[in-house]
Amino acid sequence: GTALKTLAEAKGIYFGTALTQSNLSNSTITAIAGAQFDMVTPGNEMKWDTTEPSNGSYNFGPGDAIVSFAQSHNMRVRGHNLVWHSQLPGWVSSLPSNQVQGAMEAHITTEATHYKGKVYAWDVVNEPFNEDGSLRADAFSNAMGSGYIADALRTAHAADPNAKLYLNDYNIEGQNAKSDGMYKLVSQLKAQGVPIDGVGLESHFIVGQVPSSMRANMQRFTALGLDVAVTELDDRMQTPASSANLAQQATDYAAVVSNCLAVSHCVGVSQWGVGDADSWIPGAFPGQGAATMYDNNYQPKPAYNATATAL
Ligand code: XIL
């Protein structure tokens, strides 16, 4: 059938995948990635623990390998990410608080400058919220208060003025306390003229639990003049997968794609990984998996066909 990226482009959106450096030496994965997807998010290679493992010492080799794969396959890149409480090297959390802002700004400036012109968008701050919509306590908020987010966005914009700048989080797909927190923050940032272009909805779903308020939630963000994107889609279930769950997963994928297509300024959908065999889910949620459109042998699942049909 027609590739997902071709169907997506005909509707004015992209269809992406996450890739890790080890995926690049698996020809089954690279063949599907190059054929089906037109956007790549590095799974780990642009995170702080990889790019600046010790203070002032940078390592862009793994991220560069992902960018090079993307460029040679005519795919764009979502940079992921500049500031996050997780996969953060110990030296940052051990800094005296009066040195955290300088370290954060140097990290953002150096990384965003290195990739200037090569990334379509940056997840500038990843996962800044608690489930109740309050700001997560981490090295950055503890040292700088809530203003660290505006500072991070301004610093990224100065380094790469053409990259779209995003805040990205999970469990903000539907309308709830957490997405209310995000909505309040991005409303304030827009009102203050802080450079922000979009909100990323990670969309790590459980089968049958795509929120019914997802479309309305996307619309309230785009009504602020922001883009939205589905940045890390997967839809997990207990393994081994039942045919009923695979059918529900197909319904879920179609619903997510339809939501994006229905919202102007929903710019695209990215799945987190290519297939079930390279997905992060079994490692992070023991006993669960089968969360992507391709099975363990990289054969398309019902979710693939439903996605193609929804596009
Ligand atoms: C995950 C990676 O896929 C794993 O390889 C890694 O061990 C942990 O991080 N939200 C995010 C992603 O924003 O960066 C995470 O990626 C998945 C959850």
Side-chain angles (χ1 to χ4, degrees):
T2 309
L4 298 181
K5 66 179 178 185
T6 309
L7 297 167
E9 286 164 17
K11 296 288 177 71
I13 67 170
Y14 61 79
F15 214 103
T17 186
L19 287 176
T20 62
Q21 193 174 22
S22 70
N23 294 158
L24 299 182
S25 48
N26 180 320
S27 59
T28 306
I29 294 176
T30 56
I32 294 174
Q36 295 288 333
F37 300 103
D38 57 4
M39 184 72 78
V40 178
T41 306
N44 289 306
E45 291 69 11
M46 292 187 185
K47 295 172 181 176
W48 198 318
D49 59 353
T50 295
T51 55
E52 194 187 4
S54 60
N55 196 347
S57 139
Y58 290 90
N59 172 26
F60 294 120
D64 290 353
I66 305 286
V67 170
S68 156
F69 177 86
Q71 288 177 340
S72 63
H73 292 82
N74 294 312
M75 307 162 96
R76 291 184 292 169
V77 175
R78 293 195 79 261
H80 176 79
N81 54 62
L82 294 170
V83 178
W84 188 24
H85 74 275
S86 185
Q87 293 179 271
L88 182 68
W91 69 265
V92 181
S93 9
S94 306
L95 285 174
S97 53
N98 66 355
Q99 292 178 29
V100 173
Q101 183 172 6
M104 183 190 81
E105 291 175 355
H107 179 78
I108 293 171
T109 299
T110 305
E111 184 162 357
T113 299
H114 179 83
Y115 289 112
K116 183 178 180 177
K118 296 181 176 173
V119 298
Y120 159 71
W122 271 113
D123 289 329
V124 176
V125 181
N126 199 38
E127 302 184 347
F129 287 103
N130 294 315
E131 295 304 296
D132 68 359
S134 62
L135 204 63
R136 187 191 286 272
D138 63 15
F140 307 103
S141 62
N142 289 345
M144 291 173 264
S146 62
Y148 88 89
I149 295 180
D151 191 62
L153 289 161
R154 289 191 178 103
T155 306
H157 184 67
D160 187 354
N162 294 322
K164 302 280 187 196
L165 303 185
Y166 276 67
L167 303 181
N168 188 55
D169 217 323
Y170 62 96
N171 290 349
I172 61 162
E173 296 80 18
Q175 291 194 222
N176 56 39
K178 191 173 187 179
S179 66
D180 286 352
M182 179 66 94
Y183 182 79
K184 201 173 152 196
L185 173 67
V186 296
S187 304
Q188 289 165 351
L189 293 171
K190 284 291 281 182
Q192 293 161 2
V194 176
I196 174 158
D197 300 293
V199 174
L201 313 177
E202 289 187 12
S203 305
H204 294 294
F205 292 127
I206 296 169
V207 275
Q209 296 183 25
V210 176
S212 56
S213 57
M214 186 174 182
R215 189 176 302 190
N217 188 48
M218 291 170 124
Q219 272 157 350
R220 71 172 169 160
F221 285 109
T222 60
L224 295 172
L226 295 167
D227 290 343
V228 293
V230 173
T231 53
E232 305 183 12
L233 178 61
D234 49 32
D235 196 29
R236 63 188 184 265
M237 61 189 74
Q238 197 186 314
T239 50
S242 68
S243 51
N245 277 340
L246 293 172
Q248 181 63 52
Q249 182 179 61
T251 301
D252 293 351
Y253 264 74
V256 171
V257 169
S258 302
N259 286 337
C260 185
L261 290 175
V263 176
S264 75
H265 300 288
C266 177
V267 295
V269 176
S270 298
Q271 177 172 267
W272 200 246
V274 170
D276 294 346
D278 60 274
S279 166
W280 73 303
I281 292 292
F285 301 91
Q288 298 181 63
T292 77
M293 293 182 286
Y294 289 91
D295 71 14
N296 276 322
N297 300 311
Y298 291 97
Q299 296 305 304
K301 294 159 62 183
Y304 176 90
N305 296 311
T307 297
T309 302
L311 287 167

